[in-house]
């Protein structure tokens, strides 16, 4: 696409072009952090915006009411500079849901979801998650000793997809189509001519789910949203459908990456792995340090400045878009000390990471993701204590997904 916007900062310095193939996320994050706390960037497809890259600045901005989710505030959108076939359009303009509204509308939409995902209610899901985990491990056991296994496809993917689908009332028969569509939805390499059809297919799939639940409600969150709309909460069909899509998308992708990234971190830091397998350090520490050091979400798209907002010595101008670069933020030395670049499950950082967000839009599924990883990881290593990477870590391939710290696959040997 042709983008007439100037790719420079206010001082004339060139903006940082985010790699659409995500060849080296760590190096990119370090570059962003050095340019921060507010860095001028160019998203894949040639779309410029700003990125917040420091922990303190992110906490400030994510609680600032002048930073909104309404895409109509975005100057580039108003001027017609963002085409409908931009590969990331589904992330920038996913339709009306709790993700894309602010204030009272956001509270109204979020309340029902939050009630379904309280820590206490999520804990009730533990038994089902444990059974799913054991079933997946039983299938993996049949592969032990017969060559490499893709741990992402065979273990990290099925669990969160099954859990969030059950929570939302999506049938298992829809999983293959969802996998294909979400691959295109998140990828920076989806051909522009495929974007409109992909968006239409996702909308059609989730519309079918909603209509099915209208006819045959069940004990799931989609049915609860429909019932709330009929009881006077006035949720529209669009809001229900988009919330369903949001929950399925975020509810499986983040947990997949958390499990995969934790395994890679432990396998490349054997001294840390020994600490947790010996029981000297709890698995909770592994999960929290992975969330900080190798955060599942590298960049979150996109918020918009309704007014000029001062960030340290710089300004986020009115009408500009902002992404939150969690990959850079997690290793901010000002927040996590001089060893922020090291994976250390014994860390006692003063500042808790914000990898699930901060402020009104903090991820409502954080407790569920932590629970799934907290069940899956210790069970995996209890079953296969000799698990190892089947290829050198340097040969693991990043997926071309600007929002997720994600791998194509995770080949391991089981023992």
């Amino acid at each position: 696409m042709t983008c007439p916007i100037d790719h420079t900062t206010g001082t004339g310095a060139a903006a940082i072009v985010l790699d659409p193939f995500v060849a080296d996320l760590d190096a990119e994050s370090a570059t962003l952090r050095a340019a921060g706390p507010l860095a001028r960037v160019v998203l894949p497809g040639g779309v410029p915006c700003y990125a917040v890259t420091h922990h303190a600045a992110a906490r400030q901005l994510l609680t600032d009411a002048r930073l909104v989710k309404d895409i109509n505030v975005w100057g580039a959108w108003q001027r017609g500079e963002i085409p409908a076939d931009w590969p990331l359009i589904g992330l920038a303009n996913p339709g009306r849901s709790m993700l894309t509204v602010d204030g009272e509308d956001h509270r109204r939409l979020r309340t029902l979801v939050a009630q379904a995902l309280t820590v206490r209610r999520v804990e009730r899901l533990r038994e089902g998650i444990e059974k799913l985990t054991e079933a997946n491990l039983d299938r993996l056991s049949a592969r032990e000793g017969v060559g490499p296994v893709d741990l992402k496809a065979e273990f990290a993917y099925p669990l969160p997809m099954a859990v969030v689908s059950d929570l939302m009332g999506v049938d298992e028969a829809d999983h293959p189509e969802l996998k294909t569509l979400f691959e295109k939805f998140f990828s920076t390499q989806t051909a522009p001519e495929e974007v409109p059809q992909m968006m239409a297919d996702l909308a059609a799939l989730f519309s079918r789910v909603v209509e099915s639940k209208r006819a045959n409600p069940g004990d799931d969150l989609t049915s609860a949203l429909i019932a709330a709309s009929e009881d006077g909460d006035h949720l529209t069909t669009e809001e229900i459908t988009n919330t369903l899509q949001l929950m399925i998308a975020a509810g499986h992708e983040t947990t997949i990456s958390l499990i995969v990234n934790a395994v890679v971190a432990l396998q490349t830091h054997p001294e840390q792995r020994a600490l947790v397998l010996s029981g000297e350090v709890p698995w909770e520490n592994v999960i929290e340090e992975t969330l900080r050091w190798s955060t599942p979400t590298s960049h979150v798209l996109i918020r918009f400045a309704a007014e000029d907002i001062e960030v340290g010595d710089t300004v986020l101008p009115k009408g500009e878009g902002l992404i939150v670069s969690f990959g850079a933020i997690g290793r901010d030395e000002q927040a996590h000390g001089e060893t922020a670049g090291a994976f250390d499950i014994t860390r006692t950082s003063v500042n808790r990471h914000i990898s699930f967000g901060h402020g009104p839009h903090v991820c409502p599924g954080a407790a569920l993701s932590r629970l799934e990883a907290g069940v899956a990881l210790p069970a995996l290593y209890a079953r296969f204590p000799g698990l190892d990477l089947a290829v050198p870590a340097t040969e693991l391939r990043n997926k071309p997904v600007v929002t997720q710290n994600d791998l194509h696959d995770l080949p391991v040997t089981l023992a």
Side-chain angles (χ1 to χ4, degrees):
M1 63 175 265
T2 300
C3 187
I5 309 174
D6 181 22
H7 291 179
T8 62
T9 66
T11 60
I16 298 166
V17 179
L18 300 187
D19 179 10
F21 294 100
V22 200
D24 191 342
L25 179 60
D26 290 348
E28 182 176 270
S29 295
T31 300
L32 288 168
R33 204 162 43 248
L38 199 62
R40 197 76 163 105
V41 301
V42 180
L43 293 169
V47 174
C49 65
Y50 285 81
V52 58
T53 66
H54 290 187
H55 181 97
R59 285 176 61 92
Q60 170 202 331
L61 285 167
L62 292 175
T63 54
D64 194 315
R66 297 170 295 176
L67 191 66
V68 301
K69 289 298 194 81
D70 183 359
I71 195 170
N72 295 301
V73 172
W74 195 9
W77 179 263
Q78 294 171 350
R79 296 187 295 269
E81 296 164 357
I82 311 300
D85 61 359
W86 181 37
L88 301 179
I89 192 65
L91 293 163
N93 188 31
R96 184 178 175 82
S97 73
M98 65 180 181
L99 180 68
T100 57
V101 295
D102 298 285
E104 185 57 39
D105 281 344
H106 173 254
R107 286 187 289 273
R108 177 177 64 88
L109 290 168
R110 184 185 173 96
T111 296
L112 292 164
V113 174
Q115 288 171 349
L117 292 173
T118 63
V119 173
R120 180 175 296 179
R121 292 194 68 178
V122 164
E123 186 61 30
R124 295 176 192 165
L125 301 174
R126 177 181 290 275
E127 183 178 352
I129 292 171
E130 289 173 345
K131 289 180 179 178
L132 284 169
T133 298
E134 288 303 312
N136 287 333
L137 290 173
D138 288 344
R139 286 193 291 271
L140 280 179
S141 292
R143 302 283 302 278
E144 187 173 356
V146 298
V149 172
D150 180 0
L151 194 69
K152 179 183 174 183
E154 301 295 332
F155 182 71
Y157 176 82
L159 175 65
M161 178 56 87
V163 170
V164 75
S165 293
D166 184 61
L167 181 71
M168 300 304 298
V170 175
D171 196 279
E172 185 178 355
D174 289 320
H175 291 186
E177 184 180 2
L178 281 173
K179 188 175 189 298
T180 299
L181 290 173
F182 277 132
E183 290 276 350
K184 293 182 178 181
F185 180 82
F186 285 106
S187 178
T188 61
Q189 300 305 299
T190 299
E193 61 270 18
E194 295 181 20
V195 171
Q197 187 62 55
M198 174 268 293
M199 295 293 291
D201 289 345
L202 274 172
L205 190 155
F206 289 116
S207 292
R208 291 198 306 270
V209 174
V210 171
E211 291 311 307
S212 173
K213 291 300 173 181
R214 284 193 194 279
N216 298 288
D219 183 19
D220 55 75
L221 185 50
T222 301
S223 297
L225 292 171
I226 293 168
S229 70
E230 295 170 348
D231 289 341
D233 268 347
H234 306 300
L235 278 77
T236 67
T237 298
E238 179 192 14
E239 290 170 338
I240 295 169
T241 304
N242 290 340
T243 298
L244 169 60
Q245 177 172 324
L246 166 65
M247 293 297 296
I248 294 291
H252 81 284
E253 283 289 342
T254 299
T255 308
I256 293 168
S257 295
L258 173 55
I259 294 170
V260 166
N261 295 350
V263 170
V264 173
L266 290 174
Q267 295 308 124
T268 53
H269 295 81
E271 74 290 350
Q272 303 283 307
R273 173 179 159 170
L275 286 174
V276 70
L277 294 187
S278 70
E280 294 178 59
V281 176
W283 279 99
E284 177 186 2
N285 290 32
V286 175
I287 292 167
E288 297 308 317
E289 182 66 350
T290 301
L291 286 166
R292 180 198 70 83
W293 184 77
S294 188
T295 180
T297 306
S298 46
H299 307 285
V300 166
L301 277 57
I302 190 167
R303 291 165 168 83
F304 313 101
E307 301 176 19
D308 287 354
I309 304 174
E310 292 186 4
V311 183
D313 296 330
T314 60
V315 173
L316 176 63
K318 178 181 178 179
E320 288 288 347
L322 178 85
I323 66 172
V324 184
S325 294
F326 288 114
I329 291 165
R331 300 191 189 185
D332 181 0
E333 292 187 0
Q334 294 179 0
H336 302 291
E338 294 181 356
T339 62
F343 179 74
D344 180 6
I345 61 176
T346 67
R347 182 180 306 279
T348 55
S349 176
V350 174
N351 290 292
R352 186 176 176 84
H353 68 78
I354 57 170
S355 295
F356 281 117
H358 181 67
H361 286 277
V362 66
C363 176
L368 180 57
S369 185
R370 285 183 166 107
L371 173 60
E372 291 177 61
V375 170
L377 288 166
L380 173 68
Y381 279 95
R383 184 75 69 96
F384 306 111
L387 180 149
D388 201 2
L389 298 181
V391 299
T394 53
E395 294 181 15
L396 295 173
R397 302 172 301 147
N398 291 329
K399 291 183 70 175
V401 180
V402 74
T403 55
Q404 299 298 121
N405 180 12
D406 198 6
L407 298 175
H408 278 282
D409 51 14
L410 181 58
V412 301
T413 54
L414 302 172

